[in-house]
Amino acid sequence: MPERVLPRLVLGPILRHVGATEATVWVETDAACAVTVRGCSSRTFQVDGKHYALVHVTGLEPETVHRYDVRLDGERRWPEPDSPLPPSVIRTLGRAGRRRIVFGSCRVVAPHRPPYSLPTGTHPKARGTDALVALSRRLREEQGVEWPDLLLLLGDQVYADEVPAGTREFIRARRRVDVAHGEEVADFEEYTHLYREAWSDPAVRWLLSTVPSAMIFDDHDVHDDWNTSAAWQREIKAQPWWTDRIVGAFTSYWIYQHLGNLAPDELAADDVYAAVRSVEDGADVLRAMALRADRDTASIRWSFRRDLGSTRLVVVDSRAGRVLDDDRREMLDDAEWRWLDEQLRGDVEHLLIATSLPFLLPPAIHHGESWNEAVCAGRWGRRAARIGERLRRELDMEHWAAFRSSFDRLTGMITSVSNGERGPAPATITLLSGDIHCSYLAAVESDHPGTSRIYQAVCSPIRNELPPKFRRPLRRAWGRIASRMLRGLARAAGVPPPGVRWQLIQGPCFRNALMTLTHEGSRAVLQLDRADSVVSGQVRLEPEFVTDL
């Protein structure tokens, strides 16, 4: 008889949800098998011939460091033999104590040596050093460093429209590229290679195996300018390649990102997860889910919540759930608004509202996007509306400010939490965002001030530095002259002033970076660390600013 070939890990392990006594660990394998972590096992499920598992690890002690390995059909496959990396661990939470959340967005895959760029002929601009690699190095090598309780990735974990070298070679080997979508990702098969290339770097793979993670998508996970407007939707859905792209995007996102966002009890109650596990291959189940998600925003909720002691994190999908009717524009649909309204309560010490797109932009950009929305809606006539639509896409005018009714609605919710109308007001309310390829901290002043201190913290990119020519306009967008000019333009289009004011405290910084938010009691401290290279070719995190909130 031929010798049995034992299953192997393709990707992972990735530590996802961690509580006081339980955790979930995600893996991809090359064959069907039983996956075991600390004595807890789960059979893999299959999607389009590929194999995945999310192991629910139970029986853990609170506030304890638990070393773990991964076994496939009883054979240890992680850590890898002779690996120089430290053991992977699960750090369980307690009810109280310090909480540390590291967050950021926008990470492309590129070489780790100068000039840090993708090969010529695709996108040759330099990408800079990788902040996730730098964080991994800090945790492995620096003495006395405090470990994060969560790594929050706020969009563009992968770039479907800007693929790295390995995925591009795979695409070229399997199909023609002289088509409309060229070397961009076309379907689920190509997405799986994109995720593997993004998360297979040894330093990043170890980091994801030992720091709990939560994730939400942004446009490049699917397509640049995804769901910008009704006109954009009509045009993209008329493309013959779009169905395979969106099915591949939602299917892969559900597997690689969304499942791990769910707490174990939510996972157990998830109908799609149960359906996928009940069939030999779940590809048809997930294809149907993906098509529903694209056509009916209420069919699935991608937003989620995590409680970390006295800190509540509410992660809001600001991409897939939009209402984009010609006569109504909302960042969230009605079901999503109801869910968010239930989550935003003042019964915690600190409330975090995470959305990939910044809620509060540089003021000039905010006013410009609100003006653009009014013009696109016909405030200045049809011809101006057509010009406005072109500007909206060319300048990425698609943030909360460009959904003014949604901006006002969320402002009202935040104000009511701060005023103590939804329970005792938190010490801080902090909006966490990415997307804009610069990092900054802004303090909020409301027309109806409450007791909570309110901030907008933006960290982007993790690795995708903005070209220098765009940095000066972003700096000027915080200035009084530009702000007054664009505010006047918005008023001329009938846009009322926003119900809040905000002021820049730190930044903007344009380097690849990560932010760390630390909560202890009622105190909150925010630190931005930029990724720097050193002579040895290694990268490290260096403090850019530290602010006591």
Side-chain angles (χ1 to χ4, degrees), residues 174-425:
R174 76 184 291 254
R175 64 170 172 84
R176 295 172 54 184
V177 296
D178 55 342
V179 292
H181 49 80
E183 293 179 343
E184 296 182 5
V185 168
D187 55 21
F188 175 70
E189 181 70 22
E190 293 176 8
Y191 263 107
T192 64
H193 281 260
L194 188 62
Y195 277 103
R196 290 173 196 170
E197 192 163 6
W199 292 346
S200 289
D201 178 275
V204 173
R205 190 175 182 185
W206 174 83
L207 176 70
L208 294 175
S209 79
T210 201
V211 175
S213 56
M215 312 173 187
I216 194 71
F217 43 41
D218 201 22
D219 57 341
H220 290 285
D221 292 84
V222 179
H223 188 279
D224 189 22
D225 296 334
W226 179 34
N227 286 345
T228 293
S229 64
W232 182 93
Q233 277 193 339
R234 286 192 292 268
E235 290 179 20
I236 202 72
K237 290 183 178 182
Q239 301 300 315
W241 51 267
W242 175 250
T243 297
D244 286 342
R245 166 74 74 86
I246 195 63
V247 167
F250 276 136
T251 298
S252 60
Y253 177 79
W254 185 90
I255 295 169
Y256 288 83
Q257 298 195 51
H258 175 68
L259 275 184
N261 291 332
L262 304 180
D265 59 339
E266 294 173 314
L267 200 64
D270 190 275
D271 292 339
V272 177
Y273 185 55
V276 168
R277 291 178 60 82
S278 69
V279 295
E280 182 178 349
D281 191 299
D284 289 342
V285 174
L286 292 183
R287 179 178 178 83
M289 177 277 297
L291 290 172
R292 288 195 305 272
D294 186 43
R295 297 165 184 171
D296 178 12
T297 60
S299 67
I300 190 169
R301 187 182 72 241
W302 302 109
S303 302
F304 60 96
R305 164 185 150 186
R306 283 201 189 181
D307 288 339
L308 301 107
S310 60
T311 295
R312 172 167 298 165
L313 169 66
V314 181
V315 182
V316 183
D317 160 29
S318 54
R319 278 289 176 185
R322 297 179 176 184
V323 177
L324 296 171
D325 299 333
D326 287 326
D327 57 349
R328 183 190 177 202
R329 281 171 51 84
E330 292 282 350
M331 189 67 84
L332 313 177
D333 63 29
D334 292 337
E336 196 88 354
W337 277 118
R338 287 193 295 271
W339 176 85
L340 182 59
D341 190 56
E342 294 171 359
Q343 310 311 312
L344 300 188
R345 291 289 179 266
D347 54 353
V348 290
E349 194 79 57
H350 301 278
L351 177 62
L352 305 179
I353 306 169
T355 167
S356 63
L357 301 174
F359 183 66
L360 299 173
L361 293 161
I365 298 176
H366 173 94
H367 297 308
E369 293 200 8
S370 293
W371 163 81
N372 177 263
E373 182 188 35
V375 169
C376 289
R379 193 68 56 86
W380 286 358
R382 292 183 179 180
R383 182 180 179 186
R386 290 192 296 270
I387 296 172
E389 179 66 27
R390 289 200 299 271
L391 285 175
R392 173 151 57 192
R393 300 188 201 182
E394 290 174 5
L395 301 179
D396 292 336
M397 304 175 92
E398 53 180 348
H399 300 81
W400 286 85
F403 290 77
R404 182 53 191 271
S405 63
S406 296
F407 178 90
D408 292 340
R409 189 169 181 176
L410 183 53
T411 297
M413 290 182 178
I414 294 170
T415 299
S416 66
V417 175
S418 175
N419 288 342
E421 298 171 18
R422 299 172 176 237

Side-chain angles (χ1 to χ4, degrees), residues 48-217:
D48 201 21
K50 295 172 175 58
H51 307 273
Y52 308 92
L54 191 62
V55 182
H56 181 198
V57 184
T58 59
L60 303 174
E61 290 292 324
E63 298 184 85
T64 305
V65 179
H66 304 268
R67 184 180 297 192
Y68 76 91
D69 59 24
V70 177
R71 297 175 184 270
L72 307 184
D73 282 348
E75 188 78 11
R76 193 175 85 161
R77 292 303 190 189
W78 182 271
E80 296 178 327
D82 303 320
S83 172
L85 298 170
S88 297
V89 298
I90 301 170
R91 287 176 166 80
T92 49
L93 299 176
R95 292 187 177 181
R98 184 176 297 188
R99 294 287 178 262
R100 291 169 57 84
I101 298 174
V102 175
F103 67 96
S105 79
C106 306
R107 177 176 177 264
V108 296
V109 177
H112 292 300
R113 295 182 178 278
Y116 307 116
S117 62
L118 295 173
T120 302
T122 55
H123 298 265
K125 70 175 184 178
R127 306 300 170 158
T129 52
D130 192 331
L132 281 192
V133 172
L135 176 61
S136 177
R137 181 172 182 264
R138 168 185 281 182
L139 296 179
R140 286 182 284 117
E141 299 180 7
E142 294 184 17
Q143 297 295 319
V145 64
E146 292 190 77
W147 283 65
D149 295 296
L150 182 68
L151 173 62
L152 177 61
L153 302 175
L154 289 173
D156 296 345
Q157 278 68 261
V158 293
Y159 278 66
D161 46 11
E162 195 171 331
V163 300
T167 302
R168 187 176 65 256
E169 290 173 7
F170 173 76
I171 289 171
R172 285 182 167 273
R174 76 184 291 254
R175 64 170 172 84
R176 295 172 54 184
V177 296
D178 55 342
V179 292
H181 49 80
E183 293 179 343
E184 296 182 5
V185 168
D187 55 21
F188 175 70
E189 181 70 22
E190 293 176 8
Y191 263 107
T192 64
H193 281 260
L194 188 62
Y195 277 103
R196 290 173 196 170
E197 192 163 6
W199 292 346
S200 289
D201 178 275
V204 173
R205 190 175 182 185
W206 174 83
L207 176 70
L208 294 175
S209 79
T210 201
V211 175
S213 56
M215 312 173 187
I216 194 71
F217 43 41

Side-chain angles (χ1 to χ4, degrees), residues 411-490:
T411 297
M413 290 182 178
I414 294 170
T415 299
S416 66
V417 175
S418 175
N419 288 342
E421 298 171 18
R422 299 172 176 237
T428 64
I429 301 172
T430 309
L431 293 133
L432 311 180
S433 302
D435 175 72
I436 200 171
H437 292 261
C438 70
S439 301
Y440 58 87
L441 174 66
V444 177
E445 300 175 4
S446 173
D447 289 340
H448 306 283
T451 58
S452 302
R453 303 182 299 277
I454 306 174
Y455 299 92
Q456 169 75 77
V458 175
C459 184
S460 172
I462 294 174
R463 192 186 194 193
N464 194 5
E465 289 186 355
L466 194 69
K469 65 180 180 180
F470 297 116
R471 298 178 186 181
R472 181 176 292 178
L474 272 171
R475 288 192 182 97
R476 289 179 173 174
W478 285 101
R480 291 183 179 180
I481 295 176
S483 297
R484 287 174 179 172
M485 290 176 59
L486 271 297
R487 183 171 62 243
L489 193 65

